[in-house]
Amino acid sequence: MKIVHAASEFFPYLKTGGLADAVSSLAGTLADRGHEVSVFLPGYRTALEHKDAAGAEKRLSLKIEMGDQFLSGDVRVFSPRKNLKIYLICREEFFDRRAPYGNGERDYEDNSDRFLFFCKGVIETLRLADIQADVVHCHDWQAALLPLLLREAERRHGVTLALKTLFTIHNIAYQGLFPRSVFARTNLPEEINNMDGLEYYEQINFLKGGILFADRVTTVSPRYAKEIQTPEFGCGLDGVVLTRADDIVGLLNGVDTAVWSPGIDALLPARYTAKDIAGKKICRAALLKKAGFDEKYTGPVFGMVCRFAEQKGLDLLLANKAFFQTQECRLIILGSGDKRYETAVAAMAAETPKKIYLCAKHDEAMSHLIEAGSDFFVMPSLFEPCGLNQMYSQLYGTVPIVSRVGGLADTVTDADEKPAAGTGLMCEPTDGSLRDALGRALKLFADAPRMSAVQQRGMARDFSWNVAAEGYENLYRDSL
Ligand code: ADP
């Protein structure tokens, strides 16, 4: 099949979270399975500076209609592997910036224009380069208007650009909400400018457009597909999602095992497998040392890696500060983001520097070292569309402690509830329930044979992308 992906993130060209990993692995796996895959991304500075883009050809010049203006741009193309082409929709003014969405304090004020330009740039390239896609698969709010804009462009030009469109919600909490005046920049017919279209309480909601107008909608785990149809998890769009209930399926993300396998992980000081786990001890010592702790420490090490956002359950972690400060253990956290959490977590670490360590940045190597060197991985998210770290943890023999939501509930089995099948520990997203799970972790750690059995079951799990890619292939075929 000819498959086009459009997304704002793609590992290793730009990544702020799991979206980058998911799009990159899915596109790569589909290419390996023989499909002709084209991925469209904004021409971010980090993408253009990446070595893969060094020989990128400038393929097309664009003139994009934005309201009553025309904005210029260009398209660069390169191919990092067989069957895979990357198209960068470039316009310096929009994408040559230090960060993709904002300056750390606030989102950029021109985000609506930036991602509308991106969507229209994709469509114009599909038209000018005559790509003739079977499926255009769009991801998250930044690409959510594509299905609608694509059909409008086909109508205007009297052509077919894609047979079917698919929209994947990686996180319904990020919707792309903008002032109503933004509608004029879409050049869409006025009949879409109402509550059956893009309007959302006197604003314009990009994500809503994707949910309403794509041929099929998916989420990144089965449980999340159900959750977002409820007010508790729908972030105000549950009613809209419900109107597409028959067309929504949840397909679990996989793990890119070329990057995340302890047996071949080049970012670790030692490699290990389920059969020969000795290297995990070396990683543990290296992690403890990196955090400034005694590398011979024998008690349990808790690790955490995440964007610092409310979603990740940082309030629950902070509410359990006393546990980490008084119990015999170490806590090593890697993360950055929301300043409020950076300050609070840094203060917690500063109070007990002998037990708690914070690495407040984005650091790929450190994230691998935490996955490998920790005994437990803490992930008490309030909601989690899929989550990757709980899967990495299991593959790395690190027992995940997760809340029972979304993809976490779909991928972890509680070791106390199901002693013969457990791969982790689960809690409800509350302070007390997390406290209980942390206490159960100490008991598990003290029982070496049981701890080892839980680790071994986790390491034996198959989270490979082939399973997920097959799910998407079936969906593409079914929609065609
Ligand atoms: P989300 O997409 O909501 O951020 P996921 O669990 O799906 O959450 O994916 C997060 C990805 O980002 C994981 O690969 C995780 O290791 C990585 N990550 C998050 N924070 C950091 C950080 N500070 N340094 C390195 N990697 C990080």
Side-chain angles (χ1 to χ4, degrees), residues 183-334:
F183 188 82
R185 305 291 276 173
T186 67
N187 302 89
L188 285 164
E190 199 49 38
E191 66 247 33
I192 310 286
N193 190 7
N194 57 37
M195 62 180 279
D196 295 323
L198 301 183
E199 193 223 320
Y200 181 82
Y201 296 102
E202 287 301 317
Q203 289 185 292
I204 294 299
N205 187 319
F206 280 22
L207 196 85
K208 185 182 174 197
I211 298 171
L212 285 180
F213 296 104
D215 293 312
R216 291 287 178 91
V217 179
T218 73
T219 61
V220 286
S221 71
R223 179 152 166 151
Y224 194 61
K226 295 265 172 340
E227 285 175 347
I228 59 170
Q229 299 180 35
T230 67
E232 194 187 349
F233 292 99
C235 297
L237 286 180
D238 39 292
V240 178
V241 177
L242 267 173
T243 66
R244 299 297 312 268
D246 291 341
D247 299 311
I248 295 192
V249 293
L251 295 171
L252 203 60
N253 281 339
V255 166
D256 185 344
T257 44
V259 179
W260 289 98
S261 292
I264 53 165
D265 191 330
L267 293 173
L268 298 181
R271 275 146 288 284
Y272 59 93
T273 59
K275 261 203 193 122
D276 180 6
I277 203 166
K280 186 166 171 72
K281 283 217 173 73
I282 299 171
C283 296
R284 188 184 196 275
L287 174 64
L288 285 164
K289 189 169 174 205
K290 186 130 199 175
F293 302 141
D294 177 4
E295 56 190 281
K296 296 206 178 68
Y297 177 71
T298 55
V301 176
F302 292 85
M304 185 164 185
V305 180
C306 66
R307 283 183 297 116
F308 279 8
E310 189 183 4
Q311 172 196 343
K312 299 297 174 181
L314 289 152
D315 292 301
L316 306 185
L317 180 87
L318 290 163
N320 278 288
K321 178 170 86 170
F323 173 92
F324 295 105
Q325 292 183 333
T326 58
Q327 296 294 322
E328 188 47 63
C329 66
R330 298 288 180 268
L331 172 62
I332 297 170
I333 304 166
L334 169 66

Side-chain angles (χ1 to χ4, degrees), residues 15 17-18 21 306-307 312 334-335 361-363 387-389 392:
K15 167 168 164 173
D21 293 324
C306 66
R307 283 183 297 116
K312 299 297 174 181
L334 169 66
K361 58 177 175 184
H362 192 96
D363 185 335
L388 291 168
N389 283 102
Y392 301 158

Side-chain angles (χ1 to χ4, degrees), residues 326-433:
T326 58
Q327 296 294 322
E328 188 47 63
C329 66
R330 298 288 180 268
L331 172 62
I332 297 170
I333 304 166
L334 169 66
S336 60
D338 193 328
K339 294 277 172 285
R340 181 166 59 108
Y341 292 119
E342 284 187 6
T343 310
V345 176
M348 173 170 80
E351 276 176 37
T352 340
K354 292 202 164 87
K355 303 185 80 174
I356 303 176
Y357 173 76
L358 167 66
C359 178
K361 58 177 175 184
H362 192 96
D363 185 335
E364 210 61 46
M366 183 68 173
S367 73
H368 284 245
L369 189 60
I370 291 183
E371 282 295 4
S374 306
D375 301 299
F376 297 96
F377 191 91
V378 188
M379 202 166 173
S381 308
L382 305 185
F383 64 91
E384 197 59 78
C386 176
L388 291 168
N389 283 102
Q390 83 283 6
M391 294 192 271
Y392 301 158
S393 299
Q394 289 171 79
L395 298 177
Y396 279 65
T398 299
V399 179
I401 301 172
V402 304
S403 41
R404 203 182 299 271
V405 294
L408 301 179
D410 283 335
T411 52
V412 177
T413 309
D414 187 279
D416 288 319
E417 287 168 14
K418 298 209 168 111
T423 59
L425 296 168
M426 305 182 87
C427 62
E428 301 311 316
T430 64
D431 303 351
S433 185

Side-chain angles (χ1 to χ4, degrees), residues 6-199:
S8 167
E9 300 192 17
F10 189 96
F11 181 82
Y13 308 135
L14 185 108
K15 167 168 164 173
T16 69
L19 171 68
D21 293 324
V23 179
S24 170
S25 306
L26 174 58
T29 310
L30 290 169
D32 288 349
R33 291 167 72 90
H35 300 287
E36 216 178 296
V37 183
S38 305
V39 178
F40 285 78
L41 309 169
Y44 293 122
R45 186 186 296 174
T46 50
L48 288 165
E49 285 175 352
H50 194 278
K51 62 176 173 26
D52 289 0
E57 290 170 57
K58 188 170 153 186
R59 192 62 74 78
L60 292 168
S61 295
L62 299 173
K63 282 250 165 301
I64 302 296
E65 187 182 23
M66 302 277 290
D68 51 13
Q69 269 182 311
F70 280 87
L71 299 183
S72 61
D74 60 71
V75 187
R76 319 256 169 109
V77 188
F78 60 95
S79 175
R81 70 207 262 182
K82 196 174 161 223
N83 293 338
L84 179 63
K85 275 198 187 130
I86 305 287
Y87 289 76
L88 299 177
I89 304 294
C90 301
R91 179 176 162 85
E92 266 178 43
E93 180 208 345
F94 283 161
F95 302 122
D96 186 17
R97 298 186 188 179
R98 202 171 299 161
Y101 310 125
N103 58 14
E105 315 247 297
R106 247 176 302 120
D107 287 346
Y108 298 129
E109 297 209 337
D110 58 354
N111 274 350
S112 55
D113 254 18
R114 295 171 74 226
F115 292 105
L116 252 179
F117 179 87
F118 169 62
C119 290
K120 291 183 173 191
V122 174
I123 292 165
E124 192 60 358
T125 309
L126 292 178
R127 190 175 76 85
L128 295 175
D130 196 20
I131 289 181
Q132 304 263 345
D134 289 311
V135 180
V136 172
H137 186 163
C138 316
H139 302 266
D140 270 356
W141 73 264
Q142 300 91 342
L145 289 189
L146 232 165
L148 177 60
L149 290 166
L150 185 124
R151 296 302 177 217
E152 174 60 13
E154 287 180 331
R155 198 186 56 80
R156 272 210 221 174
H157 294 284
V159 291
T160 301
L161 300 174
L163 297 180
K164 291 289 170 188
T165 59
L166 207 105
F167 179 60
T168 296
I169 304 169
H170 294 257
N171 194 336
I172 204 167
Y174 299 92
Q175 302 183 352
L177 266 178
F178 300 105
R180 193 86 186 259
S181 56
V182 160
F183 188 82
R185 305 291 276 173
T186 67
N187 302 89
L188 285 164
E190 199 49 38
E191 66 247 33
I192 310 286
N193 190 7
N194 57 37
M195 62 180 279
D196 295 323
L198 301 183
E199 193 223 320

